[in-house]
Amino acid sequence: MRIEYDIKLGFKDVMIRPKRSTLKSRSEVNLEREFKFLHSPKIWKGIPVMAANMDTVGTFEMAQALSNEGLFTAIHKHYTIEEWRSFLSFVSSNIYSSIAVSTGISQKDSEKLKNIISNFPDLQFICIDVANGYSEHFANYVKETRTKYPDKVIIAGNVVTGEMVEELLLSGADIVKVGIGPGSVCTTRVKTGVGYPQLSAIIECADAAHGLGGQIISDGGCTSPGDVAKAFGAGADFVMLGGMLSGHDESGGEIIEKNGASFKRFYGMSSETAMKKHVGGVANYRASEGKTVEVLYKGNVDSTLQDILGGLRSTCTYVGASRLKELTKRTTFIRVNEQENRVYNT
Ligand code: 5GP
């Protein structure tokens, strides 16, 4: 047994220090980024905020709404090939740079991925997603996927430490997804005791990825536009959101009316709800590691996007970053024991 005594930080432990700036208005801030990738020859341009590949977030409807604003969606892996076909038959053809097809690492997942890619070869992004990206089997799966799809942009995760980011990039990933346990409907830290505070995970993993020419996605734990800004400030190239994009018209599922208020169901992809829906129940050798909650219905996602992107632009003006790309360089975090004043919060 060993103990690391360095303090690891989450979003709630810091604030961003304001800096002298020459920017006059938030409208002068450019949130678009352009990325070249470590393995894939493709170039991506857009606002690097993405919807999580959860079936109550990363839906086709969400992809359409987000791509209109230049944002990205990791489409959840449970759509059938027919559903893909009908979606791709009516959306405009520039959707391909705004979506990833998600997959797990079973034989069945691999066959489904092959089927989807061979039917829709214009798809450019593959998101290989497992709860625990530390197994040798996972790295081997990333290698095989790179060999099969040399031109695709491969996202792989989740991990939280630099050495594993390097291993996945060297195995063929272009972008590594970072986050174990911070998610709003995740119970991994409670069920297993395993995790890593998200801000420190981003700082350490970004450093490792950028050293090799790769990128990272900060996945999970953002509860406000300020957290999204902190994730970018810490070095994330992309920020993935689950809970913040749940509860909208585009999030799938029915509206639930209760005591005069409207809600939508939102659940973790390892929750009992998800496992019952997609694989017929929780296998007897594992525990569910996700919650099922009802979140207030938030209407159309456009106003939420405006809130997130408006907040991010404002962060950039506070530190004098005219482009999102400059935010990390201009970020100084201060450690704090307080966040917002909650005196009028119920
Ligand atoms: P959020 O933005 O809601 O805080 O976090 C979203 C992320 O939580 C997802 O992208 C995914 O990485 C993670 N997640 C989703 N469902 C589950 C689950 O059932 N269990 C765990 N451990 N993590 C989950």
Side-chain angles (χ1 to χ4, degrees):
M1 195 280 296
R2 229 177 66 111
I3 299 185
E4 269 186 37
Y5 287 98
D6 290 0
I7 291 186
K8 304 294 177 185
L9 303 167
F11 297 129
K12 69 171 193 348
D13 300 316
V14 299
M15 285 186 219
I16 298 171
R17 175 188 210 133
K19 277 202 173 87
R20 211 180 133 266
S21 157
T22 53
L23 292 171
K24 288 198 206 85
S25 148
R26 287 155 216 214
S27 61
E28 290 174 28
V29 175
N30 181 359
L31 295 181
E32 273 204 338
R33 294 219 47 190
E34 184 172 294
F35 290 116
K36 287 191 181 134
F37 299 104
L38 180 58
H39 302 282
S40 167
K42 298 192 187 308
I43 291 177
W44 182 84
K45 198 170 171 185
I47 298 176
V49 173
M50 51 172 68
N53 48 315
M54 303 169 74
D55 64 357
T56 47
V57 181
T59 62
F60 287 143
E61 295 78 9
M62 186 66 77
Q64 232 179 325
L66 264 54
S67 84
N68 288 339
E69 306 298 325
L71 279 64
F72 195 93
T73 300
I75 306 281
H76 71 74
K77 70 172 190 177
H78 299 291
Y79 282 119
T80 62
I81 193 114
E82 290 71 33
E83 287 167 323
W84 270 100
R85 191 181 311 285
S86 83
F87 170 63
L88 292 172
S89 67
F90 75 83
V91 285
S92 64
S93 61
N94 58 10
I95 193 81
Y96 291 99
S97 58
S98 309
I99 54 174
V101 51
S102 302
T103 178
I105 58 170
S106 69
Q107 180 68 26
K108 214 168 138 197
D109 288 322
S110 156
E111 280 157 21
K112 184 170 176 188
L113 177 67
K114 187 171 160 206
N115 200 358
I116 292 176
I117 301 272
S118 58
N119 274 279
F120 315 110
D122 290 340
L123 286 167
Q124 299 177 16
F125 287 76
I126 298 170
C127 176
I128 313 173
D129 187 31
V130 294
N132 170 8
Y134 281 78
S135 76
E136 196 180 352
H137 175 54
F138 181 62
N140 288 338
Y141 190 90
V142 173
K143 266 184 213 152
E144 284 162 27
T145 311
R146 170 54 66 204
T147 310
K148 285 184 201 158
Y149 309 105
D151 290 348
K152 305 291 180 201
V153 181
I154 296 180
I155 300 168
N158 280 23
V159 298
V160 284
T161 50
E163 94 285 0
M164 208 58 206
V165 168
E166 287 169 1
E167 165 117 23
L168 293 177
L169 289 172
L170 295 173
S171 301
D174 295 292
I175 310 173
V176 176
K177 202 147 71 74
V178 171
I180 293 188
S184 58
V185 281
C186 165
T187 56
T188 295
R189 292 177 184 178
V190 180
K191 288 283 169 78
T192 69
V194 175
Y196 213 94
Q198 187 67 4
L199 190 91
S200 289
I202 299 168
I203 294 169
E204 294 168 29
C205 292
D207 189 47
H210 297 162
L212 287 180
Q215 281 95 20
I216 65 156
I217 298 170
S218 168
D219 175 20
C222 288
T223 59
S224 61
D227 290 345
V228 177
K230 289 172 187 175
F232 281 119
D237 301 286
F238 296 84
V239 176
M240 179 175 263
L241 304 174
M244 286 180 69
L245 297 179
S246 69
H248 294 91
D249 291 328
E250 295 83 354
S251 316
E254 302 300 314
I255 295 176
I256 305 159
E257 304 288 349
K258 238 188 206 175
N259 306 327
S262 304
F263 300 86
K264 279 198 142 189
R265 182 158 297 143
F266 173 50
Y267 47 83
M269 294 312 291
S270 310
S271 65
E272 194 176 340
T273 309
M275 288 197 261
K276 274 191 179 147
K277 184 167 172 193
H278 300 297
V279 290
V282 183
N284 59 8
Y285 60 88
R286 60 182 291 178
S288 102
E289 286 180 27
K291 292 180 211 166
T292 300
V293 295
E294 283 168 6
V295 294
L296 267 181
Y297 168 59
K298 304 173 205 158
N300 195 282
V301 78
D302 285 351
S303 55
T304 300
L305 293 185
Q306 198 178 335
D307 201 42
I308 296 171
L309 302 184
L312 201 47
R313 283 194 191 92
S314 188
T315 311
C316 289
T317 57
Y318 270 112
V319 299
S322 59
R323 294 181 300 156
L324 182 60
K325 185 171 191 248
E326 296 162 17
L327 182 56
T328 309
K329 217 171 42 203
R330 299 194 63 92
T331 293
T332 303
F333 287 118
I334 46 173
R335 284 202 53 207
V336 296
N337 289 318
E338 62 172 26
Q339 286 287 325
E340 87 275 30
N341 185 333
R342 301 181 63 85
V343 69
Y344 294 121
N345 294 28
T346 47

